Amino acid sequence: MGLTINGLKGRGSFAHGVHPPERKSFAGDQAIEILPSPQKVVIPLLQNVGAPCVPLVKPKQIVSFGEMVGKGKAFVSAPLHAPISGSVQKQAVTNLPNGRHVKAIAIKAEGEQLEGQALWDEIYGGQWPKDNLEQYSPKQITDAIYDAGIVGLGGAAFPTHVKYIPNEKKPLDTILINGCECEPYLTSDYRLMMEAPAPVITGALLAGRATGAENIIIGVEDNKPKAVEVLREAAAGTDIKIAVLKTKYPQGSEKQLITAVLKREVPLGGLPLDVGVAVSNVGTAAAVARAVLRGKPLTHRIVSVTGAGIAKPKNLLVPIGISYGELIEYCGGLKEDAARMISGGPMMGFAFADVNLPVTKGTSGLTVLTQSEIRRAKETSCVRCGRCVDVCPMNLVPTKLALASRHKNVELAKRYKIAACFECGSCAYICPAGIPLVQLIRTGKVLVNKADK
Amino acid sequence: MVKQNKIIEPEATGMLKSKKRGYILQAWLVLTLALCFGASLAGVQLTLGPTIEENKINETRQKVPELVLGAEKAQKIEEQGQALFIEPHTISIEKPGKKISYSVYEARLNEELIGWVLKTAGQGYADKIELLLGLDPQAKTITGLFILEQKETPGLGNKIITEAWRKQFINKDTGRQLIVVKKGTKALNEIDAITGATISSRAVTGLVNTAIGDLKGSLVAKASHNQPTKDE
Amino acid sequence: MAENIKKIKTAPVIHVAPSPHLSSMALTTRRMMIDVVIALIPVVLTALYVFRWYAAKQLFICIASCFAAEMIFMKMRSKAFSLNDYSATVTAIILALSLPGTAPWYVGVIASFVAIGIGKVIFGGVGMNIFNPAMVGRAFVMIAFASAMAASGYEDSASAVDAITQATPMDAFKQTGITTSLSALFWGPTNGSLGETSAFACIIGGLYLCMRRTASWEIPTGVIASVVVFAGIANLVNPQSQWTVLHHLLGGSLLFGAFFIATDPVSSPLTPKGKFIFGIGIGAFIMLLRLFSGYPEGVMFAVLLMNALTPLINRWTVPRALGEQ
Amino acid sequence: MSWVTISLSAGTMVGMAVILSYVLGWANKTFHVEVDPRVEAINNALPGANCGGCGYVGCSEYAEAVVAGEAPVNKCSVGGKSCAAALADVMGIEVKESYPYRPIVHCGAHYDDRLGRNEYYGEKRCLAANLVTDIQGCAYGCLGFGDCQVACNYDAIHVIDGLATVDYEKCIGCGACAKVCPRNIITIVPFKAEKILAVTCSNQDAGKDVMSVCKVGCIGCKACARISDLFKMDENLSKVDYDAYPLECSVELMNAVEKCPRNGIVFVGKPSAKDLAAVADEELPEVVEPDFKTTVDDTKWRG
Amino acid sequence: MSYLIDIILIAVGAALINNFVLYYFVGICPFIGVSRRVDMAFGMGCAVTFVISIAAFLSWTITTYVLMPGAPLSKWIAGFFVPADVAAKIDLTILSYIVYIFAIASSVQFVEMYVRKFYPPLYKSFGVFLPLITTNCAILFACLKIMGNIIGVDNPADAWDLGRSLTLAVFGGVGFTIAIVIMAGIREELDLCDIPKPFQGAAITLVVAGILAMAFMGFTGVDSGLQKALTSQAGASTAENKNADINVGMSKFIIENQPIDENIPKG
Amino acid sequence: MVDQPTPLERFVQGILPENPVYRQLLGLCPTLAVTNGMKAAVTMSCAVAFVLLCANVITSLIRNLLKPHLRIVIFTLTIATFVTIADRFLAAYMYQMSKTLGPYIPLIIVNCIIICRCEVCASKQSVLTAASDALGQSIGFALALSSIAAVREILGTGMFFGWRVLPISWPDWVIMVLPPGAFLTFGILLGTVNWIGSYRSEKSGNR
C-alpha cells in the first residue's frame, strides 16, 4: 500500500528512525474481548502528566460505576472515576511500571456490575452521529473532556482538555489523530479502529469543533491497510482526511508524526500547539466522543496482551485499575520461557515484575517477551560508530549524551540538547555495543534537572 | 611574617602630588635594587664581555686553518708554532632587489694569501644551516667545509656534519655547479646524497653553490688587489 | 553483584530492565571489527603476493607483538585480557600493512607496543583513544628510526623480491622525476608500504566496508574529493608536472589511508557532516604535506592531525535537533 | 668607557623603575575599579604566582571566587597552609567548636532482607536503576549499586551485602555520598557522641506495605516514640530528632531501642576524640536534609 | 616580493613548523593548566597573542633604540659624557633580560587595568588571562628570539625590522592558540575516558602533547618547500641558474674592507 | 599561624615530597627542552640552582623591607639579574654549552620554581632556611631533569653523558631527542611517579 497523504505537505515519513520487527500478528487478528468485571481495582492517584489527584472518597464509602473518586487541584490534571461499583478500602500505595511509587484508591466490587456486551455497548457501541455537532460549544466540549478525566491514551497520559482549550496567541489549525501505533507487538489501537471507527471519527470531529481547527487528519501506518479502509468508510461524508504513512519507528511520536504529515517542526522544548497542531490518539478521540455525547467518564480502555511469552494473546477491554495479573490469567498465563513483562510496547514500555501492579489510563498493552527475544550479550565499549546518530529521529548524538550522563557532565549533556530526547529507544535498539543509551539519557536528564535546581 | 593582609591605603587625604611622590617613595627598595643590579650587571658585562666576544670570534677562527689547509697541514703548522694571520671582511653584493652580506676571512701564512673562508647560512630541511667554506686563494677549488649550526633530523639529515660526507667537497672545482646525485658519484661535480636525507644534502650543496657564485668574482678581484699590497 | 541476587520466582524467571526491550542483533562491535579484517583480506593477499615473505614476516611480527602488548598492558591495568573484540588484531594488521617490508624486526615490535600502549591503553582502552593507534605507532617509529622508514629505507637492491629493488613511486618521482605508470599504481607491483601499493585491493576492501556501513562513506569521499581538488589546483599551477591528479590518487598510501585508517570510527567525528569535514581536512593536509613538506607521503601525519582536531569538529558540528531554531 | 657603561646601565634601570612605578601607580589610581575590599585583601594574601593550579585563571579570579563563596580557601597549592589560613582570616570564617558531621544510611536491609527482588539488566548505577521499577519491592531503600561508594573520595563507604555501609574510621563527613544518593537515604548529622542512634529505614508506607517488601523496615508502630520524645513519627516512619540529641545516652533511650520490634534502631559511628580535634578547623560540610520521597524522574514524553 | 615571502615563511614557521609549544616547549604551564575547556583555552590563546604582539613591539623598539651597540638613544645620552665614537659602542645588551621582563610585566598590568576600567565585558572574557601571561615563557621567548635576530646577526642588513618581528610574535601566538585549543578539545574528550589513575591530569596531557608534537613534525620542511614553490612562482628572474656555469661578475659587489671587531687582536 | 618548616625539613621536602617538577609541575619549559642530553640537563640544573640560591638568599635578607604590592617586582628584578649573570658566565666559560642551551637560560627568569620559592619560603623565613630550601629544590629539580635526560639520552643515542653505554648496534630512537620524545618521556615518567606514589601510600594504608 502506497503512502497517501492527500495533498498534505509532508512526505509521509520523517528523517532517521529504525525498523524493528513488527510482530503484530500475535494479537492483530484477535477481536476485542471484554474482561469480566474484577473483584478489586486499585486506582493510582497519579495517572497523568501533571499534578496528582486528591481522593474524594473515604474508606468504606460506597461508590457506583463512573463516580468521580479523585480530582486534581491543578489545571494540568485529570480526575479519576470508579470503573466498578463497590466500596472504597483503606488507602493503598502502589508502584507503577514507570518507577513511580504513588498512593492509590482501592475499590472492592460490590453489587451489580455492568459487564459483557452491555459494557461494550455502553462504551463503544450504539450510534455515533457525524453531524449536528455544532450544538456543542467548544467550552462544553472541553468541560466534558475534563470531567471525564480524559488523558492521552497513547501512553503519554497528557490531560486532553489542556490541549484543546483554545489559545488566543496560538490558534490551532489542525487536529491530528494518531493511529500509527508504531510500537511493535501492540494492536490495541488497530483493533479499536477496526471495530469501533465511528466514535473515533466523531471524537475527531468534536476535537475539531472544540479547537476550531479546520483540518482533521488521521494518520495511519501503511502496514494497517484494513484499518485505513474501515476508517475511510466511517469518515465518508466528513472533511476528515486519512493519511497513510510509512511504517517506521517512531512514526507515532507526535513530533515525527507532525513532520511526516504536515512538514512542520515542533520547536525544541515546545508543544505541537506552537505549530498549530493538536495530536491525539485514536483511543482518546473515542473517549472524547463518549464523554461529550454520552457524558460518561474514562473508566475502561483497550489493552493488548501480546508477545511470545503469553499463552493466548488477546485484545481486551479492561477497567482501569485492574491488576496485570488478572489480564495474564485471562490470557492463559505466562509461558515457561517468558522473561520480561512490559507495560506498553517493547520500545518504550516499562518492564515490571510484580503482577499486582494496576493498569492505568496510559497503558496501551502488556507485552511479554521471551528469553530469545531480549538481548543477552554483554555491554561492550562504545567505538563511536555513529549508528545511534544515524537513527535518532530527533537528530541528536545519543552516544555523547550517554557519555555525559555516565560522567555526570551536565554541561556536555546540555550542549548536546539532552532535553530534546523523548526516549524512543531507536539508539539503544541499534547500538552494536549494547549500551543502555536510553536509560543513561534518562539518568542524564535527572542530573540536568538536579543541577538546574 | 609580612604584614600582607592589610590593604595598602594611600596616605590618608593626601593631595594628588604627595600621592604621586608616594609611588616613588614606596618603590624606594625597587629603585635601590635597580641601581645596584644595573651597576653590577654592567660590571659583569665589562668583565666577561671580551671573553664572550672572543669565544664568538674564535668559534669561526679556530676552524680557518683546517678549512684552508686541511686537517693535517693545519696541525703541522700549529705544531710548528706558526699562526695564520686571519683578517675578517664583510663583503656585500647587490642582487636584484636585495643586498647580501657575507663574512669572509682572509687567511695568510707568512704574509702570503693561502685561502679564504666564507661564512654562509640558509634554509635547510628543518631550520637554518650555517656553514663555513674554505677556498683556495684564487677561489678555484674548495679546500674545506664545516657545518657550524644545523637542526636537521638526527640520524638522517644531521649526517651532513660527518666528516665522511663533508670530505666530498674538498678539491671540487668551483667552476661548475655541484649537483647532488643519489648513489655513486661519477662526474667531478657530483656529490653523493645522504641516504634518506636528499633535502639536507641539497640544501648544503645549494648554499655552497650560491656562496661561490656570489663571491667568486669579488674574491678573485680582492686577491689580485691584495697582491700588489704584498709586494710593496 | 548480579550473582548475589537471589531468584525469588521460579519459572518463569522475570527480570527487569530499562527500555527498549528489543535490540537489533544484526550488528555487534565485534562483528564490525571482523568486517574490517575481512575487508583487509584483498590488501593482505596483494601484499603477500607482491612482497612475499617480507609481508608475511612483518604481519607476523606486528600481530604477535600487538597481542603481547595488549596482554601486558591489560594486566598492568588489571583488566580482563581478551582478543575477542578483534581490535588489537585490526590495529596489528593495519600497522603491519603501513610499514615497509624491509623494516627491521624491532620497528614492528616497537611500533606495536607504542600503538597499543600509548595509542590505546593509556587512554582507557578500546573506544577511548583519541588518535588512531596504528598511526601513533607508525609515527613513532617513523620519527625514531628515520633511516629505516624514509623513502630510501624501502629499497633493498639486493633483494630477491622484485618490488623491493625499485624506489617507491612517490620517491622515484620526487628524486628523479620518473613517473610510474598508472596501471602499476592501480594493480600494485610497485614498492611501498605493504598495504598501499595496490589501489585496486584498497578499493575492493574499502567498498566492502562502506557497503557494510562499518566505515562511513563520507570520510573516503571527503578525502578523495579534496585530494582531487588540491591536486588539480597544483597541476593547474604547474602544468608541466608529470605527476597528475590520478597519480596523486592512486600513488602512495592515499586510498589505503582513506578507506582503512581515516575511517577508524573511534578517532573520527560522529556526525555525517563532521565526517565529511574530517575527510576534507585529511585530504587537504595530505596534499599540503606531499607538495611542500620533506616527507614524500603525508597520510599518516594528516590522519593524526585530523584526529587531534576531531573533538573540535565534533564540538562544532553538533547536529541541529529536530525543531531547533 | 667603563664608567659610562656602568652608570648608563644603572641609570637605565633606575629610569625604567621610576617610569614604571610612576605609570603603574598612576594607572592603578586612574583605572581603579571598586572591588570588594576582601577581594583585594585575598589578592594580597595570595602568592600572585598566577600558576592556575587552583583551577581558576590566575590569582585574582580565584580571589573573587573565594569571596563569592564559590571556592574553598585551601585551593592554593603554592601558598600552602599558611595561605589558606590567611584567606580564612580575611573571609572571617570562624573556626567554631563543632561536632563532626557524619553520614547515616537510613536503610538496614541487606540482600536477604529485601523482598520482591528481581534480576536487573541495565546500567548498574543507583541513579539509573532508580528509574526502573521492581528491582526490589521497597521503593525507598538502598539499591546497593554503590553510587555513594564511587562518589566517596576517602574509601569510607562500601556496599556490603547489598547495603551501603559507612566506614566511620575513614569518613571525614564531606557529604558526597548524601549528594549522590538518588533515594536520599543518606543524611549528614552531627555526631554528638561516639556512637549515635539511627533509625535504619526510610519507608513511609503503612506497616503492612512495608512488611510485604522488607524484613527489617520500620512499620510505624510508634513503640519508640511512646517511650522517648527523641523519636518523632512522620508519615509512618520514626525519626531521631538530632537537634535534641542528648550527650549522654539515657536508660529511657535504651528501652526504646530494645522495644523496636524490627530492631531498626541501632547505634552507628565511631568518631574518636582525635576526630573531634581534627575537624576543628575543617570546613563544615553542607548538611543534607533527608528528603523521604522516591525520586523518580519527571520526564515528560508523549507519543 | 622577497620580503613578502620572508614574512610568509616566518609566519608558517612560527605557527606550525616550529610551534612555540610543541617545538620550543615554551608556554607549557598554561598549555597544561588552562587547557581544560575550549572556551578558556581560546581566551588564553587570544590573550597570549595580544600580549606577545605588544611585547614584541616593545622589545624590538627597546633593543633597536636603546640596548644594541650604537643604538640611537644610548648613543645620544652617552654623547654628553664621552666622545661620539666611544658612545657609539656603548653596549647595554646585558640589561636586555631585565628590561624585557619589566616591559612585559608592566605592559600586561597596564593593559589589564585599562581593559578592566573601560571594557569590563572584554575584561571578563579575556582580561582575566592577562596576569597569568606575565610569567608565560612564550612571551619572553619571542622577545629573545627577536633580539637574537637583531643583534645576533652577522651583518646589520639582516637584522629584523619591526614587520618581521611582529609577524613572528603574532603567528607564534596563533600557533600557541592552535595548540592549546586542540589540546583543550582533546582534554574535554579525555574527561570522558577511562584513563588510568596515575596518568590522569598532567601526565596524559603530556602524552597527548607528545603525540601532537609527532603529528606536527609532519610539517618539517614545509617552509623550505614553500620557499622553493614561492620563489619559483615569484618569477624566473630570480630563479637559480641550474646547470649553468657560475658567472663571475654577474652581480655588482662592493667590498667593504672593514674588520669585524677591533677588540680582538688579529692573528 | 601554622608553624614554618625548619631548614632541614625544607631541604628534604624539596627533593622528593615536594619535587618541583614531578609534584608541583613547575619549571616545565627547561624540563622538556634541555633534557635531550645529560650534560645540558646538569648544566641547566646548576644554573637554576645558582639563580635559586642567590634569589632566595637576597629575598630572605630583604624580606622585612618588602611591600606586598611590590614584592613580585622585586623578586623578578632579583631573579632577572642573577639569570643574566649566569647566562653571561656560561657564555664566557662554556661557550658551546651556552649555545646548546640557547634561550632556555634566560627563560629561567619566568621559571615558576624560583618565584614560587621566593614567595613561599624566602620571603617569610630566615636566610639559612631559605638557602637550604633553595638547595633542596635545586636537587629535586636536578634529579627530575637528569632522570628524564637519562632516559632520553640512553634510548635516543645509546649514550650517557656522551659515553656509549649501549652496544653500537643499538638502533637510536631518534624520536627521543626530538620534541615528541620529551613530552612522551616526561608524561610516562610522571605517570609512573604518580603510580609509585599511590602504590606506596596505599601500601602504608594512609589515604
Side-chain angles (χ1 to χ4, degrees), chain B residues 43-96:
Chain B
V44 169
Q45 165 77 340
L46 290 174
T47 333
L48 294 180
T51 327
I52 297 168
E53 281 304 319
E54 200 173 342
N55 282 337
K56 269 187 199 159
I57 302 290
N58 277 349
E59 187 192 16
T60 316
R61 220 168 252 265
Q62 274 167 0
K63 296 289 169 200
V64 171
E66 197 191 319
L67 284 172
V68 291
L69 294 170
E72 286 169 30
K73 251 189 188 172
Q75 207 170 359
K76 214 186 257 169
I77 284 178
E78 200 180 318
E79 278 164 12
Q80 287 168 357
Q82 282 178 297
L84 285 184
F85 177 84
I86 300 168
E87 190 182 0
H89 303 281
T90 307
I91 300 183
S92 302
I93 55 162
E94 251 171 53
K95 274 193 174 184

Side-chain angles (χ1 to χ4, degrees), chain C residues 56-68:
Chain C
K57 180 196 77 177
Q58 208 61 268
L59 277 165
F60 172 76
I61 289 173
C62 286
I63 293 177
S65 34
C66 273
F67 285 3

Side-chain angles (χ1 to χ4, degrees), chain E residues 84-105:
Chain E
D85 57 328
V86 180
K89 294 209 169 57
I90 296 282
D91 180 6
L92 294 179
T93 42
I94 185 117
L95 297 179
S96 51
Y97 305 158
I98 300 183
V99 173
Y100 291 160
I101 193 74
F102 272 85
I104 295 168

Side-chain angles (χ1 to χ4, degrees), chain D residues 100 102-104 166-171 191-197 267-276:
Chain D
R102 293 291 181 267
I104 289 177
V166 180
D167 180 348
Y168 290 98
E169 295 278 3
K170 290 181 181 170
C171 182
F191 270 51
K192 296 187 180 175
E194 284 220 345
K195 287 198 165 251
I196 195 166
L197 281 176
F267 279 104
V268 294
K270 195 190 175 249
S272 59
K274 194 184 99 219
D275 277 305
L276 280 168

Side-chain angles (χ1 to χ4, degrees), chain A residues 256 265-268 338-340 346-347 349 374-375 380 382 384-385 387 390 394-395 397 415-417 425 429 432 439, chain C residues 12-15 17-21 23-24 27-29 32 127-128 213 265-266 314-315 319-324:
Chain A
Q256 274 58 45
E265 285 187 11
V266 180
L268 216 58
R340 202 174 285 173
M347 294 300 283
I374 52 180
R375 182 180 208 119
T380 53
C382 172
R384 310 188 205 174
C385 64
R387 287 286 196 289
D390 292 343
M394 291 303 292
N395 213 1
V397 188
R415 193 191 306 150
Y416 281 92
K417 295 162 280 202
Y429 170 79
Q439 191 185 21
Chain C
V13 181
I14 298 292
H15 24 71
S19 67
H21 306 283
S23 64
S24 154
L27 192 77
T28 57
T29 43
M32 288 173 73
M128 307 281 190
R213 304 203 56 227
V266 182
N314 269 338
R315 200 186 155 91
R320 190 192 74 95
L322 187 78
E324 192 183 3

Side-chain angles (χ1 to χ4, degrees), chain A residues 385-387 390-391, chain C residues 27 32 35 207-218 275:
Chain A
C385 64
R387 287 286 196 289
D390 292 343
V391 299
Chain C
L27 192 77
M32 288 173 73
D35 266 346
L207 287 183
Y208 172 78
L209 275 186
C210 291
M211 252 137 70
R212 289 280 307 166
R213 304 203 56 227
T214 298
S216 333
W217 59 269
E218 290 95 342
K275 283 171 179 164

